[in-house]
Amino acid sequence: MAPSGLALFWACVIAFAILIYTILDGFDLGVGILFGRTRDESLRVQMMNTIAPFWDGNETWLVVIGAGLFAAFPDVYAVFLSAFYLPVLILMIGLIFRGIAFEFCFRSLRMRRVWDRGFSLGSTVVAFVQGAAVGAMLRGIPVVDGHYAGGAFAWLHPFSILTGVGLVLGYALLGAGWLVLKNEGPLRDWAYRRIPWLAAAVLIALLLAFCITFDYSLVARNGLQVRPWGIVFPLIGIAALTAVVFGVRGKRDQIPFVLSVVFFLVSFLSLGVMFWPYMIPYSITVGSAAAPDASLQFLFCGAIVVLPVILAYTISVYWIFRGKLHKGEISLL
Amino acid sequence: MSFDPVFLSRLQFAFVVSFHIIFPAFTMGLAAWLATIEGVRLVTGLPVYRRVFDFWLRVFAVSFGMGVVTGIVMAFQFGTNWSVLAQKTGPIQGPLLGYEAFTAFMLEATFFSVMLLGRERVSPRAYFLSCCMVSLGTMSSSFWILANNSWMQVPLGHAVIGGQIIPANWWAIVTGPVMRVRWPHMLLAAFLTTGMCVAATGAWYALRDVYREEARVMLHWSLGFVAVVIPIQIFFGHLTGEYVLHYQPAKFAAIEARWKTEQPASEVLFAIPDSRSERNLFAIDVPRLGSFIASGNWTAREIGLETIRREDRPPVVIPFFGFRLMAGMGLIMLAVSWLGNLLRWRGRLESTRWFLWGTFLAFPTGFIAILTGWYTAEVGRQPWVVYGLLRTREAVTPSLTTGDVLCSLLCYGLVYGVFVSFGLYYIFKLLRQGPTAGLRPIRGATGGRRPLAYADDPATATGGKVEAGT
C-alpha cells in the first residue's frame, strides 16, 4: 500500500523527531554515563552544569515522538509499545529517576551517593534499552493479525545486547564530544583522553552489528540493492569515526562533537535506506500503518504551527547558552 | 474481578492517572489565580499582591514540573497496556491527545519561560499578558483531554471501517453536547481545588499569626471566589447528571444504587450496595426523591440495573460512593465559603479560630472531589472503554501476562511513591516557609529554567556544592 502525501509528511516529522531526540538527549545521557566514570567532585559538578540548561528540553522530543506515532501511525505505536513493554517501563523509570537525581543531588548531603549513582545508572540504563530496542527491531518483531505476538523478554537477545552496548558507547562518545565543546581545563582534557577509545569501540560494535544485520536480513540487502547510493552513508560513518579516533588532538574543540553527530546522522540514514518502507520490520510499513487522512489532516493544522515553535525554542536555548562554560560564570536566560 | 492483565492494567492506569491529574488540575487553578493577582497588582499597584504572586509562582513551578514528568508516562500507557484501544481508536484519540501534548509544550516553550524568568525583561503589561496566556494554555490543554474522554464516554462523529474507528466529523467529536458540559465542570473543579488550597494556606498563616497581610489577601480572595463559583459548579454537576441519565442509564442506575426499576423512585442517601444479592444493605432512602432528582417530577419511572443485560452492567460500589464523596466535598466547600463570607461581613474572618481551623483542614476537598468524580465517571462507564463500541476487556494488549503487569505496577508504585512524595514534600515546605523573600531565579549553575530549581531557597538550590550545615 503506497503511503499518501500526508502519511509521508508525518513519517518525516517522526523520523526527524527521532533523529533530534537521539542527538540531543544522546549527548546529555552520554554525559550521565561518563559521570559514573569519575570520582572527582569538581569534574562531576562541571559535568552537571554543562547539560543543566538542556536536558529536560531534550526529553520533550520523546513526547513529540510518542504523541506523533499515536496520532499518525497508531499500529506502530501499539505494536512497538506492546513488544517493548519492559524496556519502555525501564526507560520511564530510568528517565524519572535520572530527573530526580539531577534535581536533588545537590540538595541533600546524606542522600548524595544515592542520587549520584542514580544519575549515572539511570542514564546508562536508558541508553541501553534504546539501543537494545533498535537491535530487536532489526531482528524483526513477531506480529500476528496486527498485534504483537511474542513474550515480554523476546527483545533480549545477544544481538540486541550488542546494539544496546553500542548505543551506550555511542551516547558516551557524543557526551564526551559535548564536554570538550563546552569546557576548558581539566574536564576537557579528561574527555579528550576518552574520545579515541570510545570512538574505536563504537566503530567496532556498529560494524559488527551492520555485518550481522546484512547477513541476517534479506530486506536490508534488498534495500541496498534497490538504493545502491545508500552505501555512501555507512562509508561516511566509518570515515567520521576514524577521523575522531586519529584526529582528535586537533586545535578545534568542535570537531569530535560535530563528527559524532555526523556519525549518528548517517547511521540513522543507513537504517532508513536499508529498511524503507518498513516502520516495524518485517511486518508494518509506512503505508499500512498510517491513520486515515482525516486524522493526519486534523493534526497537520496544529503541527505546522507548533513544530516550528518548538524547533525555534530549542535553537534559541542552545544559542543563548552557546560557547564555553567558564568556571564561576553562570549562564542563564 | 480477577487478578488478570485486564484488571491489573486498569489498576495501573488508575494509579498513574490519579497521580497525574492532581498536578495539572492544581496548576490550572494556580495559573488562573496568578493571572488574577497579577492583574489586581497592575491596577492597584499594592506591593502585597506582588508578594503573594511571587510566593504562589514558586508553588506553581514545582506543580507544573511534576505534571510534566507524570504526563510523560501517560503518553505511553495507551500503547503498552491498551494496544487494541490504541489501534482501533488511534485515528481519533491520537490527534486529540497529540493536540494536548502540543499545547503543553508550546506553553512551556513560550509564555511559561517569560512568567518564570521574564519579570525584569518585559513590560508589566507584557508580563501580565504572559500570565493570562499561561492560564489560557493550561485550560486549552485540559480541553483536549476532556474532548478525548468525553468522546470515550459518548462517542459521536465517527465511522467504523474494517474494525477501525475513524473520524467522520471532527466538529462533532470535539464539541459534542457532553463535552460542553464536562469541560466547564472540570475547569471549575480545578479552580475550586486551588481556591480551597489558597484559602487553607491563608488560614494556616492566620492561625500561626504570621504574614498577616498576605494571609488576608489569600483568605478574602479565595473564599469570595469559591462562594461565587460553587453554586455554578453544582449547576454544572446537575447538567452532567442529565447527560449521564440520557446517554448512560446504566451508570446513572449504578450511581443511585438502583437495582430494581421503581415508580416513583426513592433516593438512596446511604447504603452498602451488595452486588451479589443485588440489593442495598443498611439503606437510608427518601421516597420519591429519586424521581425528582432524575426527572424533575415526583412520580417518574426510573429504570434499575435489572433492565440492563448482566454483561453490560458497571460495578456499583465505586460509582455509588465516589459520587457521594464528590458531592459531599462540594457541600463542604459551599459551607466553608459561605460561612467565611458571613464572618467577613461581620469583620471576624481572621479572628475566628475554629473557622480558620476548618478552612485549613478543608484543603484537600478539591482534590478528593476531582479524584472521586473521575472514578465515578470512569468506573461507571465500564464494562466499556469506548461506550457501546469497545469493551475494556477487548482493548487490552493481547500479549501481556499477569506477571508483566504486576511487575510494572509495582515499579510505578515504588517510583511514584518516592518521586511524588518528594514533590509534595517540597510543595509543603514552600507553603510552610511562606511568602518570605521575593522570587529570584536561582542564579545557580543548574540553570533556572527548570521548575524544581524554585523549590528551595537560593542557598541550597544553586547547584553548587552544599556547604556542610546548610
Side-chain angles (χ1 to χ4, degrees):
Chain A
M1 198 159 80
S4 67
L6 273 167
L8 283 177
F9 166 81
W10 278 105
C12 289
V13 167
I14 287 162
F16 181 71
I18 292 174
L19 183 64
I20 295 281
Y21 171 78
T22 318
I23 291 168
L24 298 187
D25 213 26
F27 82 71
D28 76 54
L29 287 168
V31 171
I33 295 163
L34 292 171
F35 184 88
R37 304 253 56 82
T38 175
R39 299 225 160 269
D40 185 329
E41 187 64 17
S42 67
L43 291 186
R44 284 189 161 189
V45 171
Q46 185 97 5
M47 282 183 183
M48 290 288 220
N49 292 346
T50 314
I51 57 170
F54 310 106
W55 71 272
D56 61 343
N58 295 345
E59 281 173 15
T60 60
W61 289 92
L62 196 61
V63 178
V64 173
I65 299 167
L69 277 179
F70 190 10
F73 302 98
D75 284 354
V76 174
Y77 174 83
V79 169
F80 182 87
L81 291 175
S82 5
F84 295 105
Y85 189 81
L86 293 181
V88 168
L89 175 71
I90 297 169
L91 179 74
M92 290 296 126
I93 287 170
L95 286 177
I96 293 178
F97 208 73
R98 185 170 174 268
I100 315 174
F102 203 102
E103 297 294 345
F104 291 116
C105 76
F106 291 115
R107 289 163 194 274
S108 157
L109 283 176
R110 272 172 303 160
M111 298 281 282
R112 184 64 195 271
R113 274 171 170 272
V114 178
W115 295 134
D116 278 1
R117 221 13 100 66
F119 182 62
S120 63
L121 192 68
S123 308
T124 312
V125 161
V126 166
F128 176 78
V129 292
Q130 288 177 1
V134 175
M137 294 262 281
L138 297 183
R139 286 182 49 78
I141 306 286
V143 174
V144 176
D145 294 336
H147 301 298
Y148 173 62
F153 290 97
W155 59 280
L156 204 58
H157 179 272
F159 180 70
S160 56
I161 293 175
L162 171 71
T163 54
V165 172
L167 198 64
V168 171
L169 293 167
Y171 281 172
L173 176 65
L174 270 177
W178 182 256
L179 290 179
V180 166
L181 184 70
K182 301 298 278 186
N183 291 285
E184 290 171 333
L187 184 57
R188 185 182 64 164
D189 298 338
W190 185 92
Y192 256 139
R193 280 198 298 280
R194 275 149 187 84
I195 283 177
W197 299 107
L198 283 171
V202 173
L203 192 58
I204 292 166
L206 269 278
L207 272 179
L208 201 59
F210 182 80
C211 295
I212 294 173
T213 308
F214 204 72
D215 178 57
Y216 172 83
S217 165
L218 193 67
V219 170
R221 277 203 298 278
N222 195 33
L224 271 181
Q225 266 164 19
V226 178
R227 295 173 277 274
W229 43 266
I231 198 72
V232 301
F233 296 132
L235 292 179
I236 294 174
I238 293 169
L241 275 191
T242 316
V244 175
V245 175
F246 293 106
V248 77
R249 271 296 180 180
K251 291 254 185 252
R252 287 165 155 266
D253 288 346
Q254 292 92 329
I255 287 178
F257 185 70
V258 170
L259 286 179
S260 312
V261 169
V262 169
F263 171 75
F264 268 85
L265 175 71
V266 292
S267 304
F268 190 72
L269 290 172
S270 313
L271 283 179
V273 167
M274 290 196 288
F275 288 96
W276 176 264
Y278 284 107
M279 289 185 89
I280 290 194
Y282 300 92
S283 49
I284 299 177
T285 65
V286 173
S288 74
D293 271 4
S295 307
L296 301 177
Q297 177 74 52
F298 181 66
L299 195 60
F300 178 79
C301 304
I304 52 168
V305 179
V306 173
L307 292 175
V309 172
I310 298 182
L311 202 61
Y313 170 70
T314 307
I315 293 170
S316 72
V317 169
Y318 281 86
W319 177 250
I320 289 165
F321 294 99
R322 70 190 176 279
K324 297 265 188 196
L325 189 78
H326 298 287
K327 219 178 166 82
E329 175 216 58
I330 303 314
S331 35
L332 245 173
L333 269 173
Chain B
M1 203 189 321
S2 59
F3 226 45
D4 58 6
V6 179
F7 173 70
L8 290 171
S9 292
R10 285 179 60 195
L11 206 58
Q12 178 170 311
F13 198 87
F15 180 78
V16 291
V17 87
S18 297
F19 269 108
H20 176 61
I21 193 176
I22 53 176
F23 294 107
F26 188 42
T27 309
M28 206 190 330
L30 278 178
W33 159 244
L34 286 169
T36 311
I37 282 298
E38 180 59 17
V40 175
R41 192 197 69 87
L42 207 58
V43 173
T44 63
L46 291 175
V48 63
Y49 289 111
R50 173 68 191 271
R51 292 200 299 277
V52 171
F53 179 92
D54 286 350
F55 168 68
W56 285 102
L57 183 60
R58 270 183 277 179
V59 179
F60 174 73
V62 178
S63 178
F64 192 96
M66 303 282 292
V68 170
V69 175
T70 49
I72 293 179
V73 174
M74 296 306 306
F76 296 92
Q77 282 293 308
F78 292 95
T80 50
N81 291 67
W82 304 100
S83 71
V84 177
L85 172 74
Q87 272 169 314
K88 290 201 170 179
T89 66
I92 290 176
Q93 293 196 285
L96 295 176
L97 295 175
Y99 263 104
E100 196 277 334
F102 282 174
T103 316
F105 287 124
M106 276 285 275
L107 197 65
E108 201 187 347
T110 52
F111 295 106
F112 183 72
S113 308
V114 177
M115 199 169 163
L116 282 191
L117 299 166
R119 170 73 89 175
E120 315 298 334
R121 285 159 197 277
V122 296
S123 73
R125 277 168 189 280
Y127 190 78
F128 174 59
L129 182 78
S130 299
C131 296
C132 294
M133 291 307 290
V134 168
S135 178
L136 268 179
T138 54
M139 287 188 231
S140 54
S141 198
S142 76
F143 174 88
W144 297 107
I145 296 293
L146 264 291
N148 179 49
N149 188 265
S150 296
W151 182 81
M152 289 166 79
Q153 296 287 351
V154 180
L156 294 165
H158 60 274
V160 183
I161 293 176
Q164 208 177 27
I165 302 164
I166 63 163
N169 179 352
W170 278 110
W171 183 254
I173 292 169
V174 176
T175 64
V178 182
M179 173 65 182
R180 290 176 208 168
V181 173
R182 293 181 85 229
W183 185 43
H185 196 49
M186 182 71 217
L187 285 179
L188 294 176
F191 296 159
L192 288 169
T193 300
T194 306
M196 291 308 284
C197 285
V198 173
T201 310
W204 196 14
Y205 298 150
L207 282 170
R208 284 159 53 199
D209 199 18
V210 289
Y211 313 117
R212 273 290 176 186
E213 212 185 341
E214 290 87 343
R216 201 180 134 79
V217 168
M218 292 180 200
L219 274 171
H220 283 229
W221 276 88
S222 58
L223 287 177
F225 173 80
V226 172
V228 174
V229 169
I230 191 82
I232 307 174
Q233 176 69 321
I234 291 171
F235 173 68
F236 270 100
H238 171 72
L239 294 181
T240 309
E242 280 188 346
Y243 104 73
V244 172
L245 181 66
H246 183 73
Y247 290 102
Q248 300 177 320
K251 186 196 279 183
F252 198 90
I255 289 172
E256 297 290 18
R258 191 174 288 132
W259 301 97
K260 306 256 181 290
T261 302
E262 297 173 44
Q263 185 174 22
S266 55
E267 173 71 12
V268 183
L269 294 180
F270 179 83
I272 299 193
D274 180 13
S275 308
R276 212 155 296 181
S277 61
E278 297 186 9
R279 65 196 183 92
N280 296 324
L281 310 174
F282 315 109
I284 304 166
D285 47 15
V286 181
R288 288 176 180 267
L289 184 63
S291 295
F292 181 73
I293 287 175
S295 308
N297 70 64
W298 299 97
T299 53
R301 177 170 174 275
E302 303 301 337
I303 64 153
L305 285 163
E306 62 176 2
T307 58
I308 289 144
R309 283 189 307 170
R310 205 167 283 271
E311 68 268 26
D312 292 345
R313 285 184 203 172
V316 174
V317 174
I318 293 179
F320 177 80
F321 284 113
F323 175 78
R324 274 154 189 75
L325 266 169
M326 176 191 71
M329 293 301 134
L331 293 178
I332 294 177
M333 291 185 225
L334 184 75
V336 168
S337 61
W338 284 20
L339 200 61
N341 280 282
L342 189 71
L343 288 169
R344 177 175 154 188
W345 181 52
R346 296 271 186 83
R348 294 209 307 252
L349 174 55
E350 287 137 88
S351 53
T352 312
R353 287 190 72 82
W354 62 266
F355 175 77
L356 292 175
W357 267 109
T359 309
F360 173 60
L361 292 175
F363 80 92
T365 44
F367 294 113
I368 297 172
I370 285 181
L371 287 174
T372 50
W374 197 254
Y375 297 154
T376 307
E378 294 294 287
V379 176
R381 190 192 57 222
Q382 304 300 327
W384 304 96
V385 62
V386 180
Y387 198 69
L389 283 180
L390 183 63
R391 284 174 192 276
T392 310
R393 184 156 287 282
E394 290 155 7
V396 80
T397 303
S399 58
L400 279 186
T401 63
T402 303
D404 298 342
V405 196
L406 204 57
C407 164
S408 59
L409 183 59
L410 288 175
C411 288
Y412 281 123
L414 206 68
V415 170
Y416 273 49
V418 173
F419 171 67
V420 177
S421 3
F422 264 103
L424 293 178
Y425 171 69
Y426 271 102
I427 290 180
F428 168 75
K429 230 173 104 172
L430 279 177
L431 294 178
R432 193 184 49 186
Q433 192 186 348
T436 44
L439 174 80
R440 216 169 299 133
I442 293 144
R443 299 220 145 237
T446 60
R449 199 178 74 76
R450 291 182 349 281
L452 283 177
Y454 288 81
D456 229 328
D457 52 296
T460 56
T462 53
K465 246 174 106 175
V466 179
E467 310 298 330
T470 51

